[in-house]
Every structure is written in structure tokens, then in C-alpha cells.
């Protein structure tokens, strides 16, 4: 049979099948902050990622999750690392819950299509079509949520704040 939502929560999920949203925040002190976005763009592209936001003092990268550690190591070499925080959010249950809901909605949709083909009058056909319309909307929403989760878990987000290294001023000023 079908797993209910309560059962889905208790199903053991192998570690490689877990869905984790990874975010990192790094602060670097660098000699030339304005050249950082170019270096970070090249770094992201070399890891099959991309820049999602870029500014003089902050750059946000989206890196394939399996290259997350590589990216952190490489970024750390571009300046003096002054702050680093990494957060992971496990969305495995949410993901598999969506999967079950999509499957169930698709099964229901198939049954309604069969009912529509057997509808004996216009009134019945209209009722079935109304249900189909509702199900199609629900399916679109669920599939949209799933695509978003897939994107968030397959690409990690790394925010890099790049600040200029303070040059020592005149002594005794």
C-alpha cells in the first residue's frame, strides 16, 4: 500500500538520499574587494556553479552541492578568512511527503479522467471536469514546490562578504 504522511516521517532514509539545503556565509579581508567578484565568478564557473548576486562587497554563489566543500576551500584561499558559518537544513521528510502527495494526486487525476470518459450526462461531466481542474492546480503547485526543493538541495548557497584590508595609518596620528 501507500505510505501515509505519519509513516513517511518514520521511514529510514539512507544518508545519500537525504535532501539537505546547505548555506554558508564567509567573510574575507582582501586587498582589492572590487576584483573579488570576477575571481569568484571564475571560481563558481570552474565548479559548474554560477553567481546569483554580485556587488562590490558581497557575492552570492550557487554551487552544486557535491562541490560545496571544494568551493569553501578555494574561496578561503582568496583572502584572510575572518568569519565562517555553515547551516544545513534537512528537508528530506518534506521532499518525500511531496513525492507521495504528487503520486496520490496523479492517481486521482487518472481515476477522474476515466470517470469523465464514462460520464453519462453533461452535469456529471461538468462536476468531474471541475474536480480535474482543482487537481491539476494542486499538482502544479506540488510540482513547483518539489522543483524548488530540488534546486535548493542540488545547489548550495555561499554568501561571501569581501571587505578591504585596512591599511595601517601613520603612527601616533
Amino acid at each position: 500500500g501507500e505510505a501515509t504522511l505519519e509513516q513517511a516521517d518514520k521511514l529510514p532514509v539512507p544518508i545519500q538520499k537525504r535532501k539537505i539545503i546547505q548555506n554558508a556565509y564567509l567573510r574575507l579581508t582582501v586587498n582589492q574587494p572590487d576584483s573579488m567578484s570576477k575571481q569568484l565568478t571564475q571560481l563558481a564557473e570552474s565548479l559548474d556553479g554560477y553567481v546569483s548576486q554580485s556587488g562590490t562587497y558581497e557575492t552570492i554563489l550557487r554551487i552544486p552541492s557535491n562541490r560545496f566543500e571544494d568551493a569553501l576551500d578555494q574561496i578561503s584561499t582568496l583572502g584572510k578568512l575572518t568569519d565562517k558559518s555553515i547551516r544545513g537544513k534537512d528537508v528530506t521528510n518534506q521532499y518525500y511527503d511531496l513525492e507521495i502527495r504528487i503520486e496520490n494526486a496523479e492517481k486521482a487525476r487518472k481515476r477522474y479522467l476515466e470517470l469523465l470518459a464514462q460520464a453519462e450526462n453533461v452535469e456529471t461531466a461538468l462536476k468531474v471536469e471541475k474536480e480535474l481542474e482543482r487537481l491539476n492546480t494542486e499538482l502544479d503547485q506540488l510540482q513547483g514546490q518539489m522543483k524548488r526543493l530540488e534546486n535548493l538541495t542540488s545547489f548550495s548557497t555561499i554568501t561571501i562578504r569581501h571587505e578591504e584590508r585596512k591599511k595601517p595609518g601613520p603612527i601616533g596620528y
Side-chain angles (χ1 to χ4, degrees):
E2 297 164 12
T4 63
L5 301 186
E6 293 79 41
Q7 288 169 319
D9 253 6
K10 292 170 185 64
L11 294 173
V13 179
I15 197 80
Q16 68 273 21
K17 290 246 191 256
R18 295 204 79 75
K19 298 287 180 184
I20 310 288
I21 297 173
Q22 295 183 105
N23 291 306
Y25 174 84
L26 306 176
R27 182 177 292 179
L28 289 178
T29 309
V30 296
N31 290 328
Q32 298 173 319
D34 45 351
S35 70
M36 277 303 287
S37 55
K38 187 176 183 202
Q39 289 179 55
L40 289 166
T41 300
Q42 291 169 341
L43 187 146
E45 288 169 357
S46 76
L47 295 170
D48 300 320
Y50 61 94
V51 174
S52 81
Q53 199 175 316
S54 179
T56 309
Y57 297 102
E58 188 174 84
T59 305
I60 300 175
L61 306 181
R62 299 278 289 143
I63 303 291
S65 294
N66 59 345
R67 312 291 299 275
F68 183 63
E69 296 297 328
D70 292 349
L72 295 179
D73 292 345
Q74 289 184 39
I75 293 164
S76 300
T77 66
L78 298 176
K80 183 181 187 297
L81 188 63
T82 57
D83 191 15
K84 176 180 179 179
S85 73
I86 297 171
R87 278 198 318 277
K89 181 180 180 197
D90 190 327
V91 291
T92 308
N93 291 340
Q94 198 179 338
Y95 182 85
Y96 290 106
D97 171 41
L98 277 173
E99 204 170 62
I100 291 168
R101 289 170 62 192
I102 288 170
E103 265 176 48
N104 290 340
E106 283 171 344
K107 285 177 192 166
R109 187 176 176 276
K110 193 176 172 198
R111 285 194 295 272
Y112 278 116
L113 286 169
E114 289 164 5
L115 284 174
L116 186 60
Q118 298 164 8
E120 309 211 341
N121 59 42
V122 175
E123 189 186 350
T124 306
L126 287 174
K127 282 181 182 172
V128 172
E129 282 177 354
K130 189 173 178 154
E131 263 317 290
L132 269 169
E133 200 175 306
R134 184 193 63 74
L135 264 175
N136 286 334
T137 302
E138 184 183 335
L139 259 170
D140 286 347
Q141 289 171 341
L142 292 171
Q143 288 165 339
Q145 288 174 30
M146 188 161 223
K147 274 196 181 87
R148 185 169 179 277
L149 274 184
E150 281 170 352
N151 182 282
L152 287 171
T153 57
S154 57
F155 278 83
S156 302
T157 303
I158 304 176
T159 303
I160 304 103
R161 180 104 187 120
H162 26 96
E163 298 162 346
E164 191 160 3
R165 181 169 285 137
K166 301 277 181 274
K167 304 196 173 43
I171 293 170
Y173 186 72

